[in-house]
Amino acid sequence: MEARAIKEYIYQNEKIELSKEIIIEFVEHICEDEDKIYIACSFGKDSIVLVDLVRQLYPSIPIVFSDTGLEYKGIYKLKEKYDNRTERKCL
């Protein structure tokens, strides 16, 4: 691995660890109750990253998906892979 790739890898891991620290701070010190939290998720790339990070730390936090009826077909297939989710139909 060349030096630039190693630096990028370290940078990405630092971002991930910082994101996890922020999630922990929010859940444990701001909300104080894991049962009052949910993840709003569109199942787009950014939402999936957030779900993955939160679920690594707090697997029981539920996902809420608001179905507008305008999502790509792939979104519907992807959301089926996640348990503990609630769906809301938007009209």
Side-chain angles (χ1 to χ4, degrees):
M1 204 181 236
E2 66 181 69
R4 183 175 178 187
I6 292 170
K7 286 181 183 179
E8 182 65 25
Y9 177 79
I10 291 169
Y11 173 71
Q12 293 299 327
N13 282 334
E14 288 173 352
K15 283 176 59 175
I16 291 168
E17 291 308 313
L18 177 59
S19 297
K20 287 180 179 180
E21 289 174 16
I22 292 169
I23 291 165
I24 291 167
E25 178 75 19
F26 178 79
V27 172
E28 295 182 5
H29 301 288
I30 296 174
C31 290
E32 298 176 350
D33 187 356
E34 192 177 320
D35 295 333
K36 294 180 181 178
I37 302 170
Y38 65 89
I39 308 166
C41 182
S42 66
F43 289 97
K45 62 180 176 45
D46 298 326
S47 292
I48 291 297
V49 170
L50 178 63
V51 167
D52 184 57
L53 290 173
V54 172
R55 288 282 178 93
Q56 286 178 33
L57 301 165
Y58 304 98
S60 65
I61 292 180
I63 298 170
V64 175
F65 171 66
S66 295
D67 185 355
T68 64
L70 302 173
E71 284 74 25
Y72 295 107
K73 290 179 184 179
I75 296 293
Y76 295 104
K77 291 178 184 176
L78 179 61
K79 75 178 178 69
E80 295 302 323
K81 295 180 179 181
Y82 290 85
D83 60 348
N84 194 20
R85 68 180 193 286
T86 301
E87 297 186 30
R88 303 281 186 245
K89 195 75 167 163
C90 300
L91 302 175

Coordinates of all heavy atoms in Angstrom, one line a residue:
M1 N 0.8 -1.2 0.0 CA 0.0 0.0 0.0 C 0.9 1.2 0.0 O 1.8 1.3 0.8 CB -0.9 0.0 1.3 CG -2.1 0.7 1.2 SD -3.1 0.6 2.7 CE -4.6 0.0 2.1
E2 N 0.6 2.2 -0.9 CA 1.4 3.4 -0.9 C 1.1 4.3 0.2 O 0.0 4.2 0.8 CB 1.3 4.0 -2.3 CG 0.0 4.6 -2.6 CD -0.1 5.2 -4.0 OE1 0.0 4.5 -4.9 OE2 -0.2 6.4 -4.0
A3 N 1.9 5.3 0.5 CA 1.8 6.2 1.6 C 0.5 7.0 1.6 O -0.2 7.2 2.6 CB 3.0 7.1 1.7
R4 N 0.1 7.4 0.4 CA -1.1 8.2 0.2 C -2.3 7.4 0.6 O -3.3 7.9 1.2 CB -1.2 8.8 -1.2 CG -2.4 9.6 -1.4 CD -2.4 10.2 -2.8 NE -3.6 11.0 -3.0 CZ -3.9 11.5 -4.1 NH1 -3.2 11.3 -5.2 NH2 -5.0 12.2 -4.2
A5 N -2.4 6.2 0.1 CA -3.5 5.3 0.4 C -3.6 5.0 1.9 O -4.7 4.9 2.5 CB -3.4 4.0 -0.4
I6 N -2.4 4.8 2.6 CA -2.4 4.6 4.0 C -2.9 5.8 4.8 O -3.7 5.6 5.7 CB -1.0 4.2 4.5 CG1 -0.6 2.9 3.9 CG2 -0.9 4.2 6.0 CD1 0.9 2.5 4.1
K7 N -2.5 7.0 4.4 CA -3.0 8.2 5.0 C -4.5 8.3 4.8 O -5.3 8.7 5.8 CB -2.3 9.4 4.4 CG -0.9 9.6 4.9 CD -0.3 10.8 4.3 CE 1.1 11.0 4.7 NZ 1.8 12.2 4.1
E8 N -5.1 8.0 3.7 CA -6.5 8.1 3.4 C -7.2 7.1 4.3 O -8.3 7.4 4.8 CB -6.8 7.9 1.9 CG -8.3 8.0 1.6 CD -8.8 9.4 1.8 OE1 -8.1 10.4 1.7 OE2 -10.1 9.4 2.0
Y9 N -6.7 5.9 4.4 CA -7.3 4.8 5.2 C -7.4 5.3 6.7 O -8.4 5.1 7.3 CB -6.5 3.5 5.1 CG -7.0 2.4 5.9 CD1 -8.1 1.7 5.5 CD2 -6.4 2.1 7.1 CE1 -8.6 0.6 6.3 CE2 -6.8 1.1 7.9 CZ -7.9 0.3 7.5 OH -8.4 -0.7 8.3
I10 N -6.3 5.8 7.2 CA -6.3 6.3 8.6 C -7.3 7.4 8.7 O -8.0 7.5 9.7 CB -4.8 6.7 8.9 CG1 -3.9 5.5 9.0 CG2 -4.8 7.5 10.3 CD1 -2.4 5.8 9.1
Y11 N -7.3 8.4 7.8 CA -8.2 9.5 7.9 C -9.7 9.0 7.9 O -10.5 9.5 8.7 CB -8.0 10.4 6.7 CG -9.0 11.5 6.5 CD1 -9.1 12.6 7.4 CD2 -10.0 11.5 5.5 CE1 -10.0 13.6 7.3 CE2 -10.9 12.5 5.4 CZ -10.9 13.5 6.3 OH -11.9 14.5 6.2
Q12 N -10.0 8.0 7.1 CA -11.4 7.5 7.0 C -11.7 6.8 8.4 O -12.9 7.0 8.9 CB -11.6 6.5 5.9 CG -11.5 7.2 4.5 CD -12.6 8.2 4.3 OE1 -13.7 8.1 4.8 NE2 -12.2 9.2 3.5
N13 N -10.8 6.1 8.9 CA -11.1 5.4 10.2 C -11.2 6.4 11.3 O -12.1 6.2 12.2 CB -9.9 4.4 10.5 CG -10.1 3.1 9.7 OD1 -11.2 2.7 9.3 ND2 -9.0 2.4 9.5
E14 N -10.5 7.5 11.3 CA -10.6 8.5 12.3 C -12.0 9.2 12.2 O -12.7 9.5 13.2 CB -9.5 9.6 12.1 CG -8.2 9.1 12.6 CD -7.1 10.1 12.3 OE1 -7.3 11.1 11.6 OE2 -5.9 9.8 12.7
K15 N -12.5 9.4 11.0 CA -13.8 10.0 10.8 C -14.9 9.0 11.3 O -15.9 9.4 11.9 CB -14.1 10.2 9.3 CG -13.4 11.5 8.8 CD -13.6 11.7 7.3 CE -15.0 11.8 6.8 NZ -15.2 12.1 5.4
I16 N -14.7 7.7 11.1 CA -15.7 6.7 11.6 C -15.7 6.7 13.1 O -16.8 6.7 13.7 CB -15.4 5.3 11.0 CG1 -15.7 5.3 9.5 CG2 -16.2 4.3 11.7 CD1 -15.1 4.1 8.8
E17 N -14.5 6.7 13.7 CA -14.5 6.7 15.2 C -15.1 8.0 15.8 O -15.7 7.9 16.8 CB -13.0 6.5 15.6 CG -12.5 5.1 15.3 CD -13.4 4.0 15.8 OE1 -13.9 4.0 17.0 OE2 -13.7 3.1 15.1
L18 N -14.8 9.1 15.2 CA -15.4 10.4 15.6 C -16.9 10.3 15.5 O -17.6 10.8 16.4 CB -14.8 11.6 14.9 CG -15.4 12.9 15.2 CD1 -15.1 13.3 16.7 CD2 -14.8 14.0 14.3
S19 N -17.4 9.8 14.4 CA -18.9 9.7 14.3 C -19.5 8.8 15.3 O -20.5 9.2 15.9 CB -19.2 9.1 12.9 OG -18.7 10.0 11.9
K20 N -18.8 7.7 15.7 CA -19.3 6.8 16.7 C -19.3 7.5 18.1 O -20.2 7.4 18.9 CB -18.5 5.6 16.8 CG -18.7 4.6 15.6 CD -17.9 3.4 15.8 CE -18.1 2.4 14.7 NZ -17.3 1.2 14.8
E21 N -18.3 8.3 18.3 CA -18.2 9.1 19.6 C -19.4 10.1 19.7 O -20.0 10.2 20.8 CB -16.9 9.8 19.7 CG -15.7 8.9 20.0 CD -14.4 9.6 19.9 OE1 -14.4 10.9 20.0 OE2 -13.3 8.9 19.8
I22 N -19.7 10.7 18.6 CA -20.8 11.7 18.6 C -22.1 10.9 18.8 O -23.0 11.4 19.5 CB -20.8 12.4 17.2 CG1 -19.6 13.4 17.2 CG2 -22.1 13.2 17.1 CD1 -19.4 14.0 15.8
I23 N -22.3 9.8 18.2 CA -23.5 9.0 18.4 C -23.7 8.6 19.9 O -24.7 8.7 20.5 CB -23.5 7.8 17.5 CG1 -23.7 8.2 16.0 CG2 -24.6 6.8 17.9 CD1 -23.4 7.1 15.0
I24 N -22.6 8.1 20.5 CA -22.6 7.7 21.9 C -22.9 8.9 22.8 O -23.8 8.8 23.7 CB -21.2 7.1 22.3 CG1 -21.1 5.7 21.6 CG2 -21.1 7.0 23.8 CD1 -19.7 5.2 21.7
E25 N -22.3 10.1 22.5 CA -22.6 11.3 23.3 C -24.1 11.6 23.2 O -24.7 11.9 24.2 CB -21.7 12.4 22.7 CG -22.0 13.7 23.4 CD -21.4 13.8 24.8 OE1 -20.5 13.0 25.1 OE2 -21.8 14.7 25.5
F26 N -24.6 11.6 22.0 CA -26.1 11.9 21.8 C -26.9 10.9 22.6 O -27.8 11.3 23.3 CB -26.4 11.9 20.3 CG -27.9 12.1 20.1 CD1 -28.3 13.4 20.1 CD2 -28.7 11.1 19.8 CE1 -29.7 13.7 19.9 CE2 -30.1 11.4 19.6 CZ -30.5 12.7 19.6
V27 N -26.7 9.6 22.4 CA -27.6 8.6 23.0 C -27.5 8.6 24.5 O -28.5 8.7 25.2 CB -27.3 7.2 22.5 CG1 -28.1 6.2 23.2 CG2 -27.6 7.1 21.0
E28 N -26.3 8.7 25.0 CA -26.1 8.5 26.5 C -26.1 9.8 27.3 O -26.4 9.7 28.5 CB -24.7 7.7 26.7 CG -24.8 6.3 26.1 CD -23.5 5.6 26.4 OE1 -22.6 6.0 27.1 OE2 -23.4 4.4 25.9
H29 N -25.8 10.9 26.7 CA -25.7 12.1 27.5 C -26.8 13.1 27.1 O -27.1 14.0 27.9 CB -24.3 12.7 27.4 CG -23.3 11.8 27.8 ND1 -23.1 11.5 29.2 CD2 -22.4 11.0 27.1 CE1 -22.1 10.6 29.3 NE2 -21.6 10.3 28.1
I30 N -27.3 13.1 25.9 CA -28.3 14.1 25.5 C -29.7 13.5 25.7 O -30.6 14.0 26.3 CB -28.1 14.6 24.1 CG1 -26.7 15.4 24.1 CG2 -29.2 15.5 23.7 CD1 -26.3 15.8 22.8
C31 N -29.9 12.3 25.1 CA -31.2 11.6 25.2 C -31.4 10.9 26.5 O -32.5 10.9 27.0 CB -31.4 10.7 24.0 SG -31.6 11.6 22.4
E32 N -30.4 10.3 26.9 CA -30.4 9.5 28.2 C -31.3 8.3 28.2 O -31.3 7.6 29.2 CB -30.7 10.4 29.4 CG -29.7 11.5 29.6 CD -30.1 12.5 30.7 OE1 -31.3 12.4 31.2 OE2 -29.3 13.3 31.1
D33 N -32.0 8.1 27.1 CA -32.9 6.9 27.1 C -33.0 6.4 25.6 O -33.6 7.0 24.8 CB -34.3 7.3 27.5 CG -35.2 6.1 27.7 OD1 -34.8 5.0 27.3 OD2 -36.4 6.3 28.1
E34 N -32.3 5.2 25.4 CA -32.3 4.6 24.1 C -33.6 4.3 23.5 O -33.8 4.3 22.3 CB -31.4 3.3 24.2 CG -31.0 2.7 23.0 CD -30.2 1.5 23.2 OE1 -29.3 1.5 24.1 OE2 -30.4 0.5 22.5
D35 N -34.6 4.1 24.4 CA -36.0 3.8 23.9 C -36.7 4.9 23.3 O -37.8 4.8 22.7 CB -36.8 3.2 25.1 CG -36.3 1.9 25.6 OD1 -35.6 1.2 24.8 OD2 -36.5 1.6 26.8
K36 N -36.2 6.1 23.4 CA -36.9 7.3 22.9 C -36.2 7.8 21.5 O -36.6 8.8 21.0 CB -36.8 8.5 23.8 CG -37.5 8.3 25.1 CD -37.4 9.4 26.0 CE -38.2 9.2 27.3 NZ -38.0 10.3 28.2
I37 N -35.3 6.9 21.0 CA -34.6 7.3 19.8 C -35.0 6.4 18.6 O -35.2 5.2 18.8 CB -33.1 7.2 20.0 CG1 -32.7 8.1 21.2 CG2 -32.3 7.5 18.8 CD1 -31.3 7.8 21.6
Y38 N -35.0 6.9 17.4 CA -35.2 6.1 16.2 C -34.3 6.8 15.1 O -33.9 7.9 15.3 CB -36.7 6.0 15.8 CG -37.2 7.4 15.4 CD1 -37.2 7.8 14.1 CD2 -37.9 8.2 16.3 CE1 -37.7 9.0 13.7 CE2 -38.4 9.4 15.9 CZ -38.3 9.8 14.6 OH -38.8 11.0 14.3
I39 N -34.1 6.0 14.1 CA -33.3 6.5 13.0 C -34.3 6.7 11.8 O -34.9 5.7 11.3 CB -32.2 5.5 12.5 CG1 -31.4 5.1 13.7 CG2 -31.4 6.1 11.4 CD1 -30.5 3.9 13.4
A40 N -34.4 7.9 11.3 CA -35.2 8.2 10.1 C -34.2 7.8 8.9 O -33.1 8.3 8.8 CB -35.6 9.6 10.0
C41 N -34.7 6.9 8.1 CA -33.8 6.4 7.0 C -34.6 6.4 5.7 O -35.7 5.9 5.6 CB -33.4 5.0 7.4 SG -32.2 4.3 6.2
S42 N -33.9 7.0 4.7 CA -34.5 6.9 3.3 C -33.9 5.7 2.5 O -34.3 5.5 1.4 CB -34.1 8.2 2.6 OG -32.7 8.3 2.4
F43 N -32.9 5.1 3.1 CA -32.2 4.0 2.5 C -31.3 4.4 1.3 O -31.0 3.6 0.5 CB -33.1 2.8 2.2 CG -33.5 2.1 3.4 CD1 -34.8 2.3 3.9 CD2 -32.7 1.2 4.0 CE1 -35.2 1.7 5.1 CE2 -33.1 0.5 5.2 CZ -34.4 0.8 5.7
G44 N -31.0 5.7 1.3 CA -30.0 6.2 0.4 C -28.6 6.0 1.0 O -28.5 5.5 2.1
K45 N -27.6 6.4 0.3 CA -26.2 6.1 0.7 C -25.9 6.7 2.1 O -25.3 6.1 2.9 CB -25.2 6.5 -0.3 CG -25.2 8.0 -0.6 CD -24.1 8.3 -1.7 CE -24.1 9.7 -2.1 NZ -24.2 10.7 -1.1
D46 N -26.3 7.9 2.3 CA -25.9 8.6 3.6 C -26.7 8.0 4.8 O -26.2 7.8 5.8 CB -26.2 10.1 3.5 CG -25.4 10.8 2.5 OD1 -24.2 10.4 2.3 OD2 -25.9 11.8 1.8
S47 N -28.0 7.7 4.5 CA -28.8 7.1 5.6 C -28.3 5.7 5.9 O -28.3 5.3 7.1 CB -30.3 6.9 5.1 OG -30.9 8.2 5.0
I48 N -27.9 4.9 5.0 CA -27.3 3.6 5.2 C -26.1 3.6 6.1 O -25.9 2.8 7.0 CB -27.1 2.8 3.9 CG1 -28.4 2.5 3.2 CG2 -26.3 1.6 4.1 CD1 -29.3 1.6 4.0
V49 N -25.2 4.6 5.8 CA -24.0 4.8 6.6 C -24.4 5.1 8.1 O -23.9 4.5 9.0 CB -23.1 5.9 6.1 CG1 -22.0 6.2 7.0 CG2 -22.5 5.4 4.7
L50 N -25.3 6.0 8.3 CA -25.8 6.3 9.6 C -26.4 5.1 10.3 O -26.1 4.8 11.5 CB -26.8 7.5 9.6 CG -27.4 7.9 10.9 CD1 -26.3 8.4 11.9 CD2 -28.5 8.9 10.8
V51 N -27.2 4.4 9.6 CA -27.8 3.2 10.2 C -26.8 2.2 10.6 O -26.8 1.6 11.7 CB -28.8 2.5 9.2 CG1 -29.2 1.1 9.7 CG2 -30.1 3.4 9.1
D52 N -25.8 2.0 9.7 CA -24.7 1.0 10.0 C -23.9 1.4 11.3 O -23.7 0.6 12.2 CB -23.8 0.9 8.8 CG -22.7 -0.2 9.1 OD1 -23.1 -1.3 9.3 OD2 -21.5 0.2 9.0
L53 N -23.6 2.7 11.4 CA -22.8 3.2 12.5 C -23.6 3.1 13.8 O -23.1 2.6 14.8 CB -22.4 4.6 12.3 CG -21.3 4.9 11.3 CD1 -21.1 6.4 11.1 CD2 -20.0 4.2 11.7
V54 N -24.9 3.5 13.8 CA -25.7 3.4 15.0 C -26.0 2.0 15.4 O -25.9 1.6 16.6 CB -27.1 4.1 14.8 CG1 -28.0 3.9 15.9 CG2 -26.9 5.6 14.6
R55 N -26.3 1.1 14.4 CA -26.6 -0.3 14.7 C -25.3 -1.0 15.3 O -25.5 -2.0 16.0 CB -27.1 -1.0 13.5 CG -28.6 -0.6 13.2 CD -29.5 -1.3 14.1 NE -30.9 -0.9 13.9 CZ -31.8 -1.6 13.2 NH1 -31.4 -2.6 12.5 NH2 -33.0 -1.2 13.2
Q56 N -24.1 -0.6 14.9 CA -22.9 -1.2 15.5 C -22.9 -1.0 17.0 O -22.4 -1.8 17.8 CB -21.7 -0.7 14.9 CG -21.4 -1.2 13.5 CD -20.2 -0.5 12.9 OE1 -19.2 -0.2 13.6 NE2 -20.2 -0.3 11.6
L57 N -23.4 0.2 17.4 CA -23.4 0.6 18.8 C -24.6 0.2 19.6 O -24.6 -0.2 20.8 CB -23.1 2.1 18.9 CG -21.8 2.6 18.3 CD1 -21.8 4.1 18.1 CD2 -20.6 2.1 19.1
Y58 N -25.8 0.4 18.9 CA -27.1 0.2 19.6 C -28.0 -0.5 18.6 O -28.8 0.1 17.9 CB -27.7 1.6 19.9 CG -26.8 2.5 20.8 CD1 -26.0 3.5 20.2 CD2 -26.8 2.3 22.1 CE1 -25.2 4.2 21.0 CE2 -26.0 3.0 23.0 CZ -25.2 4.0 22.4 OH -24.4 4.8 23.2
P59 N -27.9 -1.8 18.6 CA -28.6 -2.6 17.6 C -30.2 -2.6 17.7 O -30.9 -2.9 16.8 CB -28.1 -4.0 17.7 CG -27.2 -4.0 18.9 CD -27.0 -2.6 19.3
S60 N -30.6 -2.2 18.9 CA -32.1 -2.2 19.1 C -32.8 -0.9 18.7 O -34.0 -0.8 18.7 CB -32.4 -2.5 20.6 OG -31.9 -1.4 21.4
I61 N -32.0 0.1 18.3 CA -32.7 1.4 17.9 C -33.4 1.2 16.6 O -32.8 0.7 15.6 CB -31.6 2.5 17.8 CG1 -31.1 2.9 19.2 CG2 -32.3 3.8 17.1 CD1 -30.1 4.0 19.2
P62 N -34.7 1.4 16.6 CA -35.5 1.2 15.4 C -35.2 2.2 14.2 O -34.8 3.3 14.4 CB -36.9 1.2 15.8 CG -36.9 2.1 17.0 CD -35.5 1.9 17.7
I63 N -35.5 1.7 13.0 CA -35.5 2.5 11.8 C -36.9 2.9 11.4 O -37.8 2.0 11.5 CB -34.8 1.7 10.7 CG1 -33.4 1.3 11.0 CG2 -34.9 2.5 9.4 CD1 -32.8 0.3 10.0
V64 N -37.1 4.1 11.0 CA -38.4 4.6 10.5 C -38.1 4.9 9.0 O -37.2 5.7 8.7 CB -38.9 5.8 11.2 CG1 -40.2 6.3 10.6 CG2 -39.2 5.4 12.7
F65 N -38.9 4.3 8.1 CA -38.8 4.6 6.7 C -40.2 5.2 6.2 O -41.2 4.6 6.5 CB -38.6 3.3 6.0 CG -38.7 3.4 4.5 CD1 -37.8 4.1 3.7 CD2 -39.7 2.7 3.8 CE1 -37.9 4.2 2.4 CE2 -39.8 2.8 2.4 CZ -38.9 3.6 1.7
S66 N -40.1 6.4 5.7 CA -41.3 7.0 5.1 C -41.4 6.7 3.6 O -40.6 7.2 2.9 CB -41.2 8.5 5.4 OG -41.3 8.8 6.8
D67 N -42.4 6.0 3.3 CA -42.5 5.5 1.9 C -43.4 6.6 1.1 O -44.6 6.7 1.3 CB -43.2 4.2 1.9 CG -43.3 3.6 0.5 OD1 -42.9 4.3 -0.5 OD2 -43.8 2.5 0.3
T68 N -42.7 7.3 0.3 CA -43.4 8.3 -0.5 C -44.0 7.8 -1.8 O -44.8 8.4 -2.5 CB -42.5 9.5 -0.9 OG1 -41.5 8.9 -1.8 CG2 -41.8 10.1 0.3
G69 N -43.7 6.5 -2.1 CA -44.1 5.9 -3.3 C -43.3 6.3 -4.5 O -43.5 5.9 -5.7
L70 N -42.3 7.1 -4.3 CA -41.4 7.6 -5.4 C -40.0 7.0 -5.3 O -39.2 7.4 -6.1 CB -41.3 9.2 -5.3 CG -42.6 9.9 -5.4 CD1 -42.4 11.4 -5.2 CD2 -43.3 9.7 -6.8
E71 N -39.8 6.1 -4.4 CA -38.4 5.5 -4.3 C -38.1 4.6 -5.4 O -39.0 4.0 -6.1 CB -38.4 4.8 -3.0 CG -38.2 5.6 -1.7 CD -39.5 6.3 -1.3 OE1 -40.6 5.8 -1.7 OE2 -39.4 7.4 -0.7
Y72 N -36.8 4.5 -5.7 CA -36.4 3.5 -6.7 C -36.7 2.1 -6.2 O -36.7 1.8 -5.0 CB -34.8 3.7 -6.9 CG -34.4 5.0 -7.5 CD1 -33.8 5.9 -6.7 CD2 -34.7 5.3 -8.9 CE1 -33.4 7.2 -7.3 CE2 -34.3 6.5 -9.4 CZ -33.7 7.4 -8.6 OH -33.3 8.6 -9.1
K73 N -36.8 1.2 -7.2 CA -37.1 -0.2 -6.8 C -36.1 -0.8 -5.9 O -36.4 -1.6 -5.0 CB -37.3 -1.0 -8.1 CG -38.5 -0.7 -8.9 CD -38.6 -1.6 -10.2 CE -39.8 -1.1 -11.0 NZ -39.9 -1.9 -12.2
G74 N -34.8 -0.5 -6.1 CA -33.7 -1.0 -5.3 C -33.8 -0.6 -3.9 O -33.4 -1.4 -3.0
I75 N -34.4 0.5 -3.6 CA -34.6 1.0 -2.2 C -35.5 -0.1 -1.5 O -35.3 -0.4 -0.3 CB -35.2 2.4 -2.1 CG1 -34.3 3.4 -2.7 CG2 -35.7 2.7 -0.7 CD1 -33.0 3.6 -2.0
Y76 N -36.6 -0.5 -2.1 CA -37.5 -1.5 -1.5 C -36.8 -2.8 -1.2 O -37.0 -3.4 -0.2 CB -38.7 -1.6 -2.3 CG -39.6 -0.4 -2.4 CD1 -39.5 0.4 -3.6 CD2 -40.4 0.0 -1.4 CE1 -40.3 1.5 -3.7 CE2 -41.1 1.2 -1.5 CZ -41.1 1.9 -2.6 OH -41.8 3.1 -2.7
K77 N -36.0 -3.2 -2.1 CA -35.2 -4.5 -1.9 C -34.2 -4.3 -0.7 O -34.1 -5.2 0.1 CB -34.5 -4.9 -3.1 CG -35.4 -5.3 -4.2 CD -34.6 -5.7 -5.5 CE -35.5 -6.1 -6.6 NZ -34.7 -6.3 -7.8
L78 N -33.5 -3.2 -0.7 CA -32.5 -2.9 0.3 C -33.2 -2.8 1.7 O -32.6 -3.4 2.7 CB -31.8 -1.6 0.0 CG -30.7 -1.2 1.0 CD1 -29.6 -2.2 1.1 CD2 -30.2 0.2 0.6
K79 N -34.3 -2.2 1.9 CA -34.9 -2.0 3.2 C -35.3 -3.4 3.8 O -35.4 -3.5 5.0 CB -36.0 -1.0 3.2 CG -37.3 -1.5 2.5 CD -38.4 -0.5 2.6 CE -39.6 -0.9 1.9 NZ -40.3 -2.0 2.6
E80 N -35.6 -4.3 3.0 CA -36.0 -5.6 3.5 C -34.9 -6.4 4.2 O -35.1 -7.3 5.0 CB -36.5 -6.5 2.3 CG -37.8 -6.0 1.6 CD -38.9 -5.9 2.6 OE1 -39.1 -6.7 3.5 OE2 -39.7 -4.9 2.4
K81 N -33.6 -5.9 4.0 CA -32.5 -6.5 4.7 C -32.4 -6.1 6.1 O -31.6 -6.6 6.8 CB -31.2 -6.2 3.9 CG -31.2 -6.8 2.5 CD -29.9 -6.5 1.8 CE -29.9 -7.1 0.4 NZ -28.7 -6.8 -0.3
Y82 N -33.1 -5.0 6.5 CA -33.0 -4.5 7.8 C -34.2 -4.9 8.7 O -35.3 -4.7 8.3 CB -32.8 -3.0 7.8 CG -31.5 -2.5 7.2 CD1 -31.3 -2.5 5.8 CD2 -30.4 -2.3 8.0 CE1 -30.1 -2.1 5.3 CE2 -29.2 -1.9 7.5 CZ -29.0 -1.9 6.1 OH -27.8 -1.5 5.6
D83 N -33.9 -5.4 9.9 CA -35.0 -5.7 10.8 C -35.2 -4.5 11.7 O -34.6 -3.5 11.6 CB -34.6 -6.9 11.6 CG -33.4 -6.7 12.5 OD1 -32.6 -5.8 12.2 OD2 -33.1 -7.6 13.3
N84 N -36.2 -4.6 12.5 CA -36.5 -3.6 13.5 C -36.8 -2.3 12.8 O -36.3 -1.2 13.2 CB -35.4 -3.5 14.6 CG -35.8 -2.7 15.8 OD1 -37.0 -2.5 16.0 ND2 -34.9 -2.2 16.5
R85 N -37.7 -2.3 11.8 CA -38.0 -1.0 11.2 C -39.5 -0.8 11.1 O -40.3 -1.8 11.2 CB -37.4 -1.0 9.7 CG -38.1 -2.0 8.8 CD -37.5 -1.9 7.4 NE -38.4 -2.6 6.5 CZ -38.5 -3.9 6.5 NH1 -37.8 -4.7 7.2 NH2 -39.3 -4.5 5.6
T86 N -39.9 0.4 11.1 CA -41.3 0.8 11.0 C -41.4 1.6 9.7 O -40.6 2.4 9.3 CB -41.6 1.8 12.2 OG1 -41.4 1.1 13.4 CG2 -43.1 2.2 12.2
E87 N -42.5 1.3 9.1 CA -42.8 2.0 7.8 C -44.0 2.9 7.9 O -45.0 2.6 8.5 CB -42.9 1.0 6.7 CG -41.7 0.1 6.5 CD -41.8 -0.8 5.3 OE1 -42.5 -0.4 4.3 OE2 -41.2 -1.8 5.3
R88 N -43.9 4.1 7.3 CA -44.9 5.0 7.2 C -45.2 5.3 5.8 O -44.3 5.7 5.0 CB -44.5 6.3 7.9 CG -44.1 6.2 9.4 CD -45.4 6.0 10.3 NE -45.0 6.0 11.6 CZ -45.1 4.9 12.4 NH1 -45.7 3.8 12.0 NH2 -44.8 5.0 13.7
K89 N -46.5 5.2 5.4 CA -46.9 5.5 4.0 C -47.2 7.0 3.9 O -48.0 7.5 4.7 CB -48.1 4.7 3.6 CG -48.4 4.6 2.2 CD -47.4 3.7 1.5 CE -47.8 3.4 0.1 NZ -46.8 2.9 -0.7
C90 N -46.5 7.7 3.0 CA -46.8 9.1 2.8 C -47.7 9.3 1.6 O -47.4 8.7 0.6 CB -45.5 9.9 2.6 SG -44.4 9.7 4.0
L91 N -48.7 10.0 1.7 CA -49.6 10.2 0.6 C -49.3 11.5 -0.2 O -48.8 12.4 0.2 CB -51.1 10.3 1.1 CG -51.5 9.0 1.8 CD1 -52.9 9.2 2.3 CD2 -51.4 7.8 0.9

